[in-house]
Amino acid sequence: MKKLFKDKEFYDKLVRLTLPIAFQSLMLAAVAAADAVMLGRIEQNQMAAVSLATQVQFIQNMVVMAATAAGSILGAQYYGKNDTDTINKIFAMMLRAVGLVSIAFALACLFIPELLMKIFASDPELIRIGASYLRIAGWSYFLTGIAECYLTIMKVTDHVFRSALISTGAVVINIILNSIFIFGLFGIPAMGANGAALATLLARIIEVVWAVVSSYQEGFLRPRFSYLLRRFPDLQKDFIKVSLPLLGGGLFWGVGFTSYTAIMGHLGSDAAAANSVSAVVRDLFCCMCNGISSAGGIMVGNELGAGDLEKGKKYGIRLAKISYVIGFLSTALVLLVTVPVVRFMLLTDTARNFLTGMMVVMAIYMIGRCVNTIIINGIFAAGGDTLFDVYSLAVCMWCLAIPTALLGAFVFHWPVVAVYACTCLDEVGKIPWVMYHFKKYKWVKDLTRENV
């Protein structure tokens, strides 16, 4: 254990990168937490409906993240060899891809929100509230994707603090506006779920403006708009090669995770409400492993892109060991907060019982979630080994967890907590497979090209 924490240079850089990214992730999760807490203080159905409605953006984010993650992977390696012009070309490719996807999702939310809500719920009241939320929040979905491209480039070009500052600032504004619009403060009428949607839209406008203005400061990269209309065949080939498995994995995971929410939503409003709270708690506790995954991926990618494969491999092995430490700490913390969380939320007695059981199941799930996030999304991705995630999700989520949850919910009619446990099988079940693949070291690879 002493040897694990011995390298001062490694940990100085890891902490410097992890803390802003983890804090940024925490702030993003805090918006969902604020929505759940504030709407939960008004009415259980308001909270559950918004949680279900935001699954639409969750799926959008999976597509957006495929493009920005590919940009981050390639950008980190080219930054390791100080090639900023190529990073600008990557920036343009990200904006093109993300812009088209974001427009499509925004239009769907604005014109067919009831149809989207029927995917996730059968209760007419939940559908009505959620559709009303999407009609307002849908305007923000285009802006979210554009802002994410700018923040990604800031992270890989050593401006991680500014990226975190912008994201955190937008979140703080979102939470303040949430309280004003949801509860009706300062003479503004109380708007409930629609107030949460309006707060999200205004916060996203501020975020994207702040990010664009920051990119014009000295030392920052901004997209060369002439590159938006140009093709770079070799670089585009690399971008597609990295992003397609990420897109496949992201859609597998995103649609699968949304399926879990839909399954729980069709088990009744109590199950939907308890699952909404457990999802918020899960996202809050995943912030540290998300931060280490992103930071570790940048560090490993920098070394691989610079041509020091042995050092990149050493960093990856060290990060894999750290993932288990973070996983077991997260398990202990989830168990520690279970009672306070259950007591705090205004839920029916049935929903409280469901939530208690879900929190215990989630505590075990956190081990697999932390290990897999850091190793797959951080280490494997840093070297372009992105196809493994697709295989593991196809087997563990789509062939194991989802069918088991569907059968448990609608055929065998298992208890709600047992169905929830089925939705957690995939992360814990694939740890041995992940470690077997890790030790093949296919991820130790330099992805950069000369003269692109």
Side-chain angles (χ1 to χ4, degrees):
M1 185 64 75
K2 287 183 179 180
K3 289 183 179 179
L4 180 61
F5 298 103
K6 194 174 180 181
D7 188 339
K8 188 175 184 299
E9 178 191 356
F10 172 85
Y11 285 101
D12 282 348
K13 188 172 183 180
L14 182 64
V15 170
R16 180 169 58 82
L17 289 172
T18 296
L19 289 182
I21 296 173
F23 188 70
Q24 181 179 355
S25 180
L26 176 63
M27 289 295 99
L28 291 173
V31 173
D35 284 348
V37 171
M38 293 180 191
L39 293 171
R41 304 301 290 183
I42 295 176
E43 184 193 14
Q44 180 173 297
N45 280 350
Q46 294 260 339
M47 176 189 68
V50 170
S51 176
L52 293 170
T54 53
Q55 295 305 302
V56 176
Q57 189 178 27
F58 179 76
I59 296 173
Q60 178 202 359
N61 285 342
M62 292 302 100
V63 184
V64 169
M65 290 304 294
T68 55
S72 179
I73 291 165
L74 293 173
Q77 292 219 1
Y78 279 105
Y79 192 70
K81 60 188 298 185
N82 299 312
D83 187 349
T84 55
D85 185 60
T86 299
I87 297 174
N88 261 322
K89 295 171 184 175
I90 293 168
F91 200 167
M93 287 190 289
M94 279 198 298
L95 285 170
R96 273 202 307 263
V98 166
L100 292 172
V101 169
S102 299
I103 289 171
F105 273 85
L107 291 175
C109 291
L110 295 174
F111 292 106
I112 53 169
E114 288 88 0
L115 186 60
L116 294 175
M117 282 302 300
K118 286 178 182 177
I119 299 172
F120 306 111
S122 54
D123 187 305
E125 182 65 7
L126 295 182
I127 292 172
R128 182 190 68 79
I129 296 170
S132 181
Y133 173 92
L134 287 174
R135 283 192 185 94
I136 300 171
W139 292 98
S140 72
Y141 291 179
F142 173 69
L143 300 175
T144 301
I146 301 303
E148 190 58 38
C149 291
Y150 278 84
L151 298 179
T152 296
I153 292 298
M154 288 182 192
K155 289 175 190 175
V156 300
T157 55
D158 213 19
H159 293 293
V160 66
F161 180 78
R162 178 63 62 85
S163 172
L165 179 63
I166 293 171
S167 185
T168 301
V171 167
V172 171
I173 292 168
N174 197 338
I175 293 172
I176 292 171
L177 294 177
N178 262 350
S179 61
I180 294 172
F181 296 140
I182 289 174
F183 297 118
L185 305 179
F186 307 113
I188 295 174
M191 300 171 65
N194 287 348
L198 181 58
T200 297
L201 173 58
L202 294 175
R204 293 292 80 77
I205 291 172
I206 293 169
E207 181 180 45
V208 75
V209 170
W210 192 354
V212 171
V213 170
S214 292
S215 71
Y216 281 86
Q217 290 183 240
E218 186 178 352
F220 285 76
L221 285 182
R222 61 181 179 274
R224 293 184 184 176
F225 293 105
S226 61
Y227 285 173
L228 288 172
L229 303 176
R230 289 179 57 187
R231 292 182 70 253
F232 307 98
D234 288 338
L235 188 60
Q236 191 166 316
K237 182 179 177 182
D238 292 340
F239 188 86
I240 292 172
K241 185 178 179 181
V242 173
S243 63
L244 280 183
L246 288 169
L247 177 60
L251 288 176
F252 263 161
W253 189 79
V255 175
F257 225 84
T258 304
S259 299
Y260 296 157
T261 304
I263 291 168
M264 302 306 297
H266 283 281
L267 294 180
S269 59
D270 286 327
N275 186 60
S276 298
V277 177
S278 69
V280 170
V281 175
R282 179 197 65 225
D283 290 344
L284 288 171
F285 278 96
C286 285
C287 292
M288 184 54 70
C289 70
N290 290 342
I292 293 176
S293 171
S294 296
I298 291 171
M299 290 173 63
V300 173
N302 286 166
E303 299 304 329
L304 297 178
D308 195 342
L309 301 186
E310 193 57 40
K311 192 172 184 180
K313 179 180 177 182
K314 183 176 75 171
Y315 279 8
I317 293 170
R318 191 171 293 156
L319 286 163
K321 294 176 181 178
I322 291 170
S323 70
Y324 283 92
V325 176
I326 299 299
F328 283 107
L329 283 175
S330 298
T331 294
L333 289 172
V334 169
L335 292 174
L336 191 63
V337 304
T338 295
V339 172
V341 168
V342 172
R343 286 180 177 173
F344 179 77
M345 299 303 298
L346 290 179
L347 302 170
T348 65
D349 290 340
T350 301
R352 285 180 188 278
N353 290 333
F354 289 161
L355 180 57
T356 302
M358 288 176 180
M359 293 285 284
V360 174
V361 172
M362 189 207 307
I364 301 170
Y365 160 91
M366 288 303 298
I367 299 171
R369 179 66 180 270
C370 291
V371 170
N372 295 328
T373 296
I374 293 172
I375 294 179
I376 296 175
N377 298 344
I379 301 167
F380 290 174
D385 186 8
T386 53
L387 196 56
F388 173 81
D389 194 26
V390 180
Y391 297 146
S392 67
L393 287 166
V395 174
C396 296
M397 177 177 274
W398 285 92
C399 294
L400 175 63
I402 291 176
T404 306
L406 286 170
L407 290 171
F410 304 117
V411 178
F412 301 117
H413 305 292
W414 289 343
V416 167
V417 175
V419 175
Y420 178 81
C422 294
T423 67
C424 297
L425 287 174
D426 55 323
E427 294 289 359
V428 177
K430 68 183 178 186
I431 290 179
W433 191 9
V434 168
M435 294 311 301
Y436 173 76
H437 187 78
F438 174 83
K439 291 181 179 178
K440 291 182 177 180
Y441 301 115
K442 291 183 177 180
W443 49 272
V444 184
K445 190 182 301 181
D446 182 354
L447 303 175
T448 62
R449 294 176 182 264
E450 299 294 336
N451 302 319
V452 293

PDB file of all heavy atoms in Angstrom, residues 5-25:
ATOM      1  N   PHE A   5       1.149   4.790  -3.012  1.00  0.00           N
ATOM      2  CA  PHE A   5       1.025   6.237  -2.823  1.00  0.00           C
ATOM      3  C   PHE A   5       2.382   6.945  -2.741  1.00  0.00           C
ATOM      4  O   PHE A   5       2.496   8.013  -2.171  1.00  0.00           O
ATOM      5  CB  PHE A   5       0.207   6.523  -1.554  1.00  0.00           C
ATOM      6  CG  PHE A   5      -1.198   5.996  -1.624  1.00  0.00           C
ATOM      7  CD1 PHE A   5      -1.546   4.829  -0.959  1.00  0.00           C
ATOM      8  CD2 PHE A   5      -2.168   6.642  -2.364  1.00  0.00           C
ATOM      9  CE1 PHE A   5      -2.839   4.329  -1.030  1.00  0.00           C
ATOM     10  CE2 PHE A   5      -3.466   6.158  -2.441  1.00  0.00           C
ATOM     11  CZ  PHE A   5      -3.799   4.996  -1.767  1.00  0.00           C
ATOM     12  N   LYS A   6       3.408   6.336  -3.338  1.00  0.00           N
ATOM     13  CA  LYS A   6       4.766   6.854  -3.184  1.00  0.00           C
ATOM     14  C   LYS A   6       5.145   7.937  -4.200  1.00  0.00           C
ATOM     15  O   LYS A   6       5.897   8.857  -3.891  1.00  0.00           O
ATOM     16  CB  LYS A   6       5.763   5.683  -3.293  1.00  0.00           C
ATOM     17  CG  LYS A   6       7.161   6.022  -2.823  1.00  0.00           C
ATOM     18  CD  LYS A   6       8.032   4.767  -2.828  1.00  0.00           C
ATOM     19  CE  LYS A   6       9.437   5.099  -2.354  1.00  0.00           C
ATOM     20  NZ  LYS A   6      10.307   3.895  -2.382  1.00  0.00           N
ATOM     21  N   ASP A   7       4.633   7.864  -5.435  1.00  0.00           N
ATOM     22  CA  ASP A   7       5.052   8.739  -6.533  1.00  0.00           C
ATOM     23  C   ASP A   7       4.423  10.131  -6.375  1.00  0.00           C
ATOM     24  O   ASP A   7       3.262  10.350  -6.736  1.00  0.00           O
ATOM     25  CB  ASP A   7       4.650   8.113  -7.870  1.00  0.00           C
ATOM     26  CG  ASP A   7       5.223   8.856  -9.064  1.00  0.00           C
ATOM     27  OD1 ASP A   7       5.582  10.036  -8.927  1.00  0.00           O
ATOM     28  OD2 ASP A   7       5.308   8.244 -10.146  1.00  0.00           O
ATOM     29  N   LYS A   8       5.204  11.099  -5.869  1.00  0.00           N
ATOM     30  CA  LYS A   8       4.675  12.437  -5.588  1.00  0.00           C
ATOM     31  C   LYS A   8       4.249  13.156  -6.859  1.00  0.00           C
ATOM     32  O   LYS A   8       3.198  13.812  -6.905  1.00  0.00           O
ATOM     33  CB  LYS A   8       5.729  13.266  -4.846  1.00  0.00           C
ATOM     34  CG  LYS A   8       5.216  14.613  -4.339  1.00  0.00           C
ATOM     35  CD  LYS A   8       6.275  15.313  -3.512  1.00  0.00           C
ATOM     36  CE  LYS A   8       5.741  16.609  -2.918  1.00  0.00           C
ATOM     37  NZ  LYS A   8       5.323  17.573  -3.938  1.00  0.00           N
ATOM     38  N   GLU A   9       5.038  13.043  -7.928  1.00  0.00           N
ATOM     39  CA  GLU A   9       4.712  13.715  -9.192  1.00  0.00           C
ATOM     40  C   GLU A   9       3.370  13.231  -9.735  1.00  0.00           C
ATOM     41  O   GLU A   9       2.526  14.028 -10.173  1.00  0.00           O
ATOM     42  CB  GLU A   9       5.815  13.446 -10.226  1.00  0.00           C
ATOM     43  CG  GLU A   9       5.536  14.069 -11.594  1.00  0.00           C
ATOM     44  CD  GLU A   9       6.498  13.565 -12.669  1.00  0.00           C
ATOM     45  OE1 GLU A   9       7.424  12.794 -12.342  1.00  0.00           O
ATOM     46  OE2 GLU A   9       6.292  13.926 -13.836  1.00  0.00           O
ATOM     47  N   PHE A  10       3.157  11.918  -9.686  1.00  0.00           N
ATOM     48  CA  PHE A  10       1.916  11.326 -10.172  1.00  0.00           C
ATOM     49  C   PHE A  10       0.719  11.854  -9.389  1.00  0.00           C
ATOM     50  O   PHE A  10      -0.281  12.292  -9.968  1.00  0.00           O
ATOM     51  CB  PHE A  10       1.999   9.799 -10.058  1.00  0.00           C
ATOM     52  CG  PHE A  10       0.705   9.081 -10.351  1.00  0.00           C
ATOM     53  CD1 PHE A  10       0.343   8.769 -11.645  1.00  0.00           C
ATOM     54  CD2 PHE A  10      -0.146   8.718  -9.310  1.00  0.00           C
ATOM     55  CE1 PHE A  10      -0.848   8.098 -11.916  1.00  0.00           C
ATOM     56  CE2 PHE A  10      -1.339   8.053  -9.568  1.00  0.00           C
ATOM     57  CZ  PHE A  10      -1.683   7.737 -10.876  1.00  0.00           C
ATOM     58  N   TYR A  11       0.810  11.822  -8.065  1.00  0.00           N
ATOM     59  CA  TYR A  11      -0.338  12.213  -7.249  1.00  0.00           C
ATOM     60  C   TYR A  11      -0.571  13.720  -7.246  1.00  0.00           C
ATOM     61  O   TYR A  11      -1.717  14.171  -7.144  1.00  0.00           O
ATOM     62  CB  TYR A  11      -0.197  11.667  -5.825  1.00  0.00           C
ATOM     63  CG  TYR A  11      -0.476  10.190  -5.775  1.00  0.00           C
ATOM     64  CD1 TYR A  11       0.555   9.263  -5.716  1.00  0.00           C
ATOM     65  CD2 TYR A  11      -1.781   9.720  -5.865  1.00  0.00           C
ATOM     66  CE1 TYR A  11       0.298   7.900  -5.714  1.00  0.00           C
ATOM     67  CE2 TYR A  11      -2.055   8.359  -5.871  1.00  0.00           C
ATOM     68  CZ  TYR A  11      -1.015   7.465  -5.791  1.00  0.00           C
ATOM     69  OH  TYR A  11      -1.284   6.125  -5.806  1.00  0.00           O
ATOM     70  N   ASP A  12       0.486  14.492  -7.377  1.00  0.00           N
ATOM     71  CA  ASP A  12       0.295  15.945  -7.499  1.00  0.00           C
ATOM     72  C   ASP A  12      -0.537  16.264  -8.740  1.00  0.00           C
ATOM     73  O   ASP A  12      -1.486  17.055  -8.687  1.00  0.00           O
ATOM     74  CB  ASP A  12       1.650  16.659  -7.587  1.00  0.00           C
ATOM     75  CG  ASP A  12       2.323  16.784  -6.232  1.00  0.00           C
ATOM     76  OD1 ASP A  12       1.651  16.529  -5.206  1.00  0.00           O
ATOM     77  OD2 ASP A  12       3.520  17.130  -6.188  1.00  0.00           O
ATOM     78  N   LYS A  13      -0.178  15.639  -9.848  1.00  0.00           N
ATOM     79  CA  LYS A  13      -0.904  15.888 -11.099  1.00  0.00           C
ATOM     80  C   LYS A  13      -2.309  15.301 -11.039  1.00  0.00           C
ATOM     81  O   LYS A  13      -3.281  15.928 -11.502  1.00  0.00           O
ATOM     82  CB  LYS A  13      -0.127  15.304 -12.283  1.00  0.00           C
ATOM     83  CG  LYS A  13      -0.729  15.689 -13.634  1.00  0.00           C
ATOM     84  CD  LYS A  13       0.157  15.258 -14.794  1.00  0.00           C
ATOM     85  CE  LYS A  13      -0.435  15.715 -16.130  1.00  0.00           C
ATOM     86  NZ  LYS A  13       0.404  15.317 -17.271  1.00  0.00           N
ATOM     87  N   LEU A  14      -2.444  14.096 -10.466  1.00  0.00           N
ATOM     88  CA  LEU A  14      -3.749  13.451 -10.376  1.00  0.00           C
ATOM     89  C   LEU A  14      -4.721  14.293  -9.543  1.00  0.00           C
ATOM     90  O   LEU A  14      -5.870  14.506  -9.938  1.00  0.00           O
ATOM     91  CB  LEU A  14      -3.615  12.050  -9.772  1.00  0.00           C
ATOM     92  CG  LEU A  14      -4.912  11.239  -9.670  1.00  0.00           C
ATOM     93  CD1 LEU A  14      -5.478  10.944 -11.053  1.00  0.00           C
ATOM     94  CD2 LEU A  14      -4.672   9.934  -8.906  1.00  0.00           C
ATOM     95  N   VAL A  15      -4.244  14.770  -8.399  1.00  0.00           N
ATOM     96  CA  VAL A  15      -5.095  15.590  -7.528  1.00  0.00           C
ATOM     97  C   VAL A  15      -5.438  16.912  -8.214  1.00  0.00           C
ATOM     98  O   VAL A  15      -6.589  17.371  -8.169  1.00  0.00           O
ATOM     99  CB  VAL A  15      -4.398  15.841  -6.170  1.00  0.00           C
ATOM    100  CG1 VAL A  15      -5.148  16.887  -5.361  1.00  0.00           C
ATOM    101  CG2 VAL A  15      -4.292  14.542  -5.381  1.00  0.00           C
ATOM    102  N   ARG A  16      -4.440  17.514  -8.872  1.00  0.00           N
ATOM    103  CA  ARG A  16      -4.659  18.803  -9.539  1.00  0.00           C
ATOM    104  C   ARG A  16      -5.717  18.691 -10.635  1.00  0.00           C
ATOM    105  O   ARG A  16      -6.533  19.605 -10.838  1.00  0.00           O
ATOM    106  CB  ARG A  16      -3.340  19.308 -10.135  1.00  0.00           C
ATOM    107  CG  ARG A  16      -3.444  20.642 -10.862  1.00  0.00           C
ATOM    108  CD  ARG A  16      -2.065  21.195 -11.194  1.00  0.00           C
ATOM    109  NE  ARG A  16      -1.276  20.294 -12.009  1.00  0.00           N
ATOM    110  CZ  ARG A  16      -1.382  20.192 -13.339  1.00  0.00           C
ATOM    111  NH1 ARG A  16      -2.263  20.934 -13.983  1.00  0.00           N
ATOM    112  NH2 ARG A  16      -0.614  19.356 -14.013  1.00  0.00           N
ATOM    113  N   LEU A  17      -5.733  17.567 -11.334  1.00  0.00           N
ATOM    114  CA  LEU A  17      -6.732  17.365 -12.378  1.00  0.00           C
ATOM    115  C   LEU A  17      -8.057  16.828 -11.827  1.00  0.00           C
ATOM    116  O   LEU A  17      -9.133  17.227 -12.262  1.00  0.00           O
ATOM    117  CB  LEU A  17      -6.198  16.383 -13.434  1.00  0.00           C
ATOM    118  CG  LEU A  17      -5.089  16.882 -14.353  1.00  0.00           C
ATOM    119  CD1 LEU A  17      -4.556  15.731 -15.198  1.00  0.00           C
ATOM    120  CD2 LEU A  17      -5.597  17.995 -15.259  1.00  0.00           C
ATOM    121  N   THR A  18      -7.969  15.912 -10.854  1.00  0.00           N
ATOM    122  CA  THR A  18      -9.171  15.244 -10.354  1.00  0.00           C
ATOM    123  C   THR A  18     -10.104  16.182  -9.610  1.00  0.00           C
ATOM    124  O   THR A  18     -11.328  16.169  -9.831  1.00  0.00           O
ATOM    125  CB  THR A  18      -8.796  14.069  -9.429  1.00  0.00           C
ATOM    126  OG1 THR A  18      -8.096  13.075 -10.173  1.00  0.00           O
ATOM    127  CG2 THR A  18     -10.042  13.434  -8.814  1.00  0.00           C
ATOM    128  N   LEU A  19      -9.569  16.991  -8.708  1.00  0.00           N
ATOM    129  CA  LEU A  19     -10.430  17.802  -7.850  1.00  0.00           C
ATOM    130  C   LEU A  19     -11.354  18.736  -8.633  1.00  0.00           C
ATOM    131  O   LEU A  19     -12.565  18.763  -8.375  1.00  0.00           O
ATOM    132  CB  LEU A  19      -9.586  18.582  -6.833  1.00  0.00           C
ATOM    133  CG  LEU A  19      -8.946  17.742  -5.725  1.00  0.00           C
ATOM    134  CD1 LEU A  19      -8.178  18.625  -4.758  1.00  0.00           C
ATOM    135  CD2 LEU A  19      -9.995  16.923  -4.984  1.00  0.00           C
ATOM    136  N   PRO A  20     -10.844  19.509  -9.609  1.00  0.00           N
ATOM    137  CA  PRO A  20     -11.785  20.345 -10.372  1.00  0.00           C
ATOM    138  C   PRO A  20     -12.808  19.528 -11.161  1.00  0.00           C
ATOM    139  O   PRO A  20     -13.977  19.898 -11.230  1.00  0.00           O
ATOM    140  CB  PRO A  20     -10.868  21.132 -11.321  1.00  0.00           C
ATOM    141  CG  PRO A  20      -9.514  21.076 -10.715  1.00  0.00           C
ATOM    142  CD  PRO A  20      -9.451  19.750 -10.016  1.00  0.00           C
ATOM    143  N   ILE A  21     -12.362  18.408 -11.761  1.00  0.00           N
ATOM    144  CA  ILE A  21     -13.290  17.596 -12.557  1.00  0.00           C
ATOM    145  C   ILE A  21     -14.324  16.929 -11.658  1.00  0.00           C
ATOM    146  O   ILE A  21     -15.520  16.896 -11.975  1.00  0.00           O
ATOM    147  CB  ILE A  21     -12.531  16.543 -13.380  1.00  0.00           C
ATOM    148  CG1 ILE A  21     -11.605  17.225 -14.400  1.00  0.00           C
ATOM    149  CG2 ILE A  21     -13.498  15.611 -14.099  1.00  0.00           C
ATOM    150  CD1 ILE A  21     -10.689  16.266 -15.148  1.00  0.00           C
ATOM    151  N   ALA A  22     -13.872  16.386 -10.527  1.00  0.00           N
ATOM    152  CA  ALA A  22     -14.804  15.754  -9.586  1.00  0.00           C
ATOM    153  C   ALA A  22     -15.782  16.774  -9.023  1.00  0.00           C
ATOM    154  O   ALA A  22     -16.976  16.502  -8.866  1.00  0.00           O
ATOM    155  CB  ALA A  22     -14.035  15.083  -8.449  1.00  0.00           C
ATOM    156  N   PHE A  23     -15.278  17.973  -8.739  1.00  0.00           N
ATOM    157  CA  PHE A  23     -16.152  19.025  -8.219  1.00  0.00           C
ATOM    158  C   PHE A  23     -17.163  19.447  -9.280  1.00  0.00           C
ATOM    159  O   PHE A  23     -18.337  19.690  -8.977  1.00  0.00           O
ATOM    160  CB  PHE A  23     -15.326  20.230  -7.777  1.00  0.00           C
ATOM    161  CG  PHE A  23     -16.117  21.280  -7.052  1.00  0.00           C
ATOM    162  CD1 PHE A  23     -16.616  21.031  -5.780  1.00  0.00           C
ATOM    163  CD2 PHE A  23     -16.386  22.505  -7.642  1.00  0.00           C
ATOM    164  CE1 PHE A  23     -17.361  21.982  -5.107  1.00  0.00           C
ATOM    165  CE2 PHE A  23     -17.123  23.465  -6.986  1.00  0.00           C
ATOM    166  CZ  PHE A  23     -17.612  23.208  -5.707  1.00  0.00           C
ATOM    167  N   GLN A  24     -16.701  19.507 -10.528  1.00  0.00           N
ATOM    168  CA  GLN A  24     -17.599  19.823 -11.646  1.00  0.00           C
ATOM    169  C   GLN A  24     -18.680  18.754 -11.750  1.00  0.00           C
ATOM    170  O   GLN A  24     -19.870  19.061 -11.922  1.00  0.00           O
ATOM    171  CB  GLN A  24     -16.792  19.895 -12.936  1.00  0.00           C
ATOM    172  CG  GLN A  24     -17.605  20.238 -14.170  1.00  0.00           C
ATOM    173  CD  GLN A  24     -16.723  20.304 -15.416  1.00  0.00           C
ATOM    174  OE1 GLN A  24     -15.504  20.181 -15.333  1.00  0.00           O
ATOM    175  NE2 GLN A  24     -17.337  20.495 -16.561  1.00  0.00           N
ATOM    176  N   SER A  25     -18.294  17.487 -11.652  1.00  0.00           N
ATOM    177  CA  SER A  25     -19.254  16.389 -11.692  1.00  0.00           C
ATOM    178  C   SER A  25     -20.223  16.463 -10.514  1.00  0.00           C
ATOM    179  O   SER A  25     -21.428  16.224 -10.655  1.00  0.00           O
ATOM    180  CB  SER A  25     -18.503  15.050 -11.678  1.00  0.00           C
ATOM    181  OG  SER A  25     -19.384  13.963 -11.722  1.00  0.00           O
TER     182      SER A  25
END
